[in-house]
Amino acid sequence: MDQKGILIVVSGFAGTGKGTIMKRLLQKYADNYALSVSMTTRAPRPGEQEGVEYFFTDREAFEKKIAEGGLIEYASYCGNYYGTPREYVKSQMEAGKDVILEIEVQGALQVKEKYPETVLMFVVPPSARTLYERIRGRGTETDEVISARMHRAVEECEYIPGYDYLLVNDDLETCVEQMHHIISSEKMSVARNVAFIEEISSELQEL
Amino acid sequence: MDQKGILIVVSGFAGTGKGTIMKRLLQKYADNYALSVSMTTRAPRPGEQEGVEYFFTDREAFEKKIAEGGLIEYASYCGNYYGTPREYVKSQMEAGKDVILEIEVQGALQVKEKYPETVLMFVVPPSARTLYERIRGRGTETDEVISARMHRAVEECEYIPGYDYLLVNDDLETCVEQMHHIISSEKMSVARNVAFIEEISSELQEL
């Protein structure tokens, strides 16, 4: 059942710990997965590095990339562009890696529409209260930002029915294993193994 | 994300080792799963026990059960009836167990039609050649029976596209783990967690 890599989208409310989950998943299963790095026009936050968290660029360059068809999805969020450069995703999938896009809801549904075989996962906290406390607990955000984030989470809920799986990030290691198992299971779906089924069927007829 | 048990169907060519997989899965995860015992009009084979491999009955009693609606699926195969009594499945699911039906292709698609949320898995050998050797290797079957089994396998291939997952039984322990992971992953599907999504969404709005 050899096959090329598959495309995976991971979204979730800000403050749900997606970044930490991704880091741990990539660390544990470095041979299986590649994390796509998004391009953005937002300014780097302290500590963020070019090509690690994002490729940082300006509006003009971003819009040129859109026009060239060089992004597999893009969205505007809080006044900035975010998008996924096509080239890296393509080359990693061809090399047999499952490529994970950590993107927000609008982009996620764009990807699903263009590539219906993409697996979409949405990460939620164990409860709404946990989310509120995590966002507030960072201590780096103003009340206005906290309120905007919570409001955004409510909006994002509307998009969850378009996803395939819901992951509850209660315990990091459990969540990482669940994500790995979902992806492994998806690779065993009948739809992804049509060629193998045809092969075994024609071999059976020859015996 | 507490929920009642889900319904799982496992099919596969005769000689693929489904029985051994089921036994090991139930042994490893006794708290999670319950295996439904089918009812049949076929005569017991040496060593088969009433209520373990099957509930053995006659045509008249079987047809009465059909008429009463007491079977969630049934099929005729090699001149005998095989069916799944409803009562046991229902009570185990209500108790939170995932119930596994090890049934053939016709019955499987009946279940999927009646209960679309059922997870259907088809177990195949690593190759057609392996299947042939496993069937022949039992040493208990005549050439005629071997040929009929192989012919049946070809027919069954036509039904695989109606299944959700394809499992290759190359190594028993791997296959058992894969089955467990598929079921666990399915329980995280968005479709199975609508109530939880609504709950977190309304909680977010209240904060």
Side-chain angles (χ1 to χ4, degrees), chain B residues 10-190:
Chain B
V10 176
S11 306
F13 310 134
T16 314
K18 291 187 305 293
T20 313
I21 297 168
M22 292 299 97
K23 204 178 278 179
R24 183 76 184 120
L25 183 78
L26 271 283
Q27 191 184 42
K28 280 187 86 170
Y29 303 103
D31 292 345
N32 299 56
Y33 305 121
L35 187 64
S36 159
V37 178
S38 293
M39 184 170 277
T40 185
T41 58
R42 133 162 121 55
R45 289 185 193 151
E48 286 185 341
Q49 288 172 276
E50 167 73 10
V52 178
E53 285 82 7
Y54 289 99
F55 293 109
F56 296 97
T57 188
D58 58 24
R59 293 189 76 83
E60 196 186 350
F62 198 101
E63 285 169 358
K64 187 161 172 276
K65 200 87 179 169
I66 298 173
E68 290 167 359
L71 301 172
I72 67 171
E73 60 78 35
Y74 69 95
S76 180
Y77 171 47
C78 296
N80 290 301
Y81 277 131
Y82 294 78
T84 303
R86 180 185 306 277
E87 199 42 57
Y88 178 79
V89 171
K90 212 180 137 192
S91 66
Q92 292 293 314
M93 283 175 71
E94 278 169 5
K97 294 224 178 181
D98 301 324
V99 179
I100 305 177
L101 315 185
E102 188 199 325
I103 55 178
E104 53 61 73
V105 293
Q106 286 169 279
L109 300 191
Q110 274 181 54
V111 174
K112 187 77 174 179
E113 210 183 307
K114 272 195 217 166
Y115 310 100
E117 69 283 10
T118 306
V119 180
L120 267 60
M121 302 191 212
F122 199 92
V123 184
V124 294
S127 72
R129 172 61 60 185
T130 323
L131 181 69
Y132 181 66
E133 278 159 13
R134 280 187 197 168
I135 291 177
R136 215 181 39 177
R138 282 180 176 176
T140 55
E141 313 292 6
T142 62
D143 282 358
E144 206 176 3
V145 169
I146 294 171
S147 164
R149 289 258 161 88
M150 293 301 286
H151 185 72
R152 171 73 183 163
V154 171
E155 283 175 1
E156 284 173 333
C157 283
E158 299 296 315
Y159 290 82
I160 303 178
Y163 282 70
D164 301 302
Y165 296 96
L166 188 75
L167 270 112
V168 177
N169 184 18
D170 196 355
D171 171 71
L172 175 66
E173 290 301 322
T174 306
C175 191
V176 165
E177 282 309 288
Q178 286 175 336
M179 195 169 277
H180 180 58
H181 292 154
I182 288 172
I183 300 166
S184 311
S185 297
E186 275 286 337
K187 298 182 90 160
M188 288 181 271
S189 72
V190 162

Side-chain angles (χ1 to χ4, degrees), chain A residues 129 164 166 181 188 190 207, chain B residues 164 166 181 188 190 207:
Chain A
R129 172 62 58 185
D164 300 303
L166 187 76
H181 292 154
M188 289 181 271
V190 161
L207 281 172
Chain B
D164 301 302
L166 188 75
H181 292 154
M188 288 181 271
V190 162
L207 281 171

Side-chain angles (χ1 to χ4, degrees), chain A residues 50 54 70-71 74 88 138 153 186 201:
Chain A
E50 168 72 10
Y54 289 98
L71 301 171
Y74 69 94
Y88 177 79
R138 281 180 177 177
E186 275 287 337
S201 169

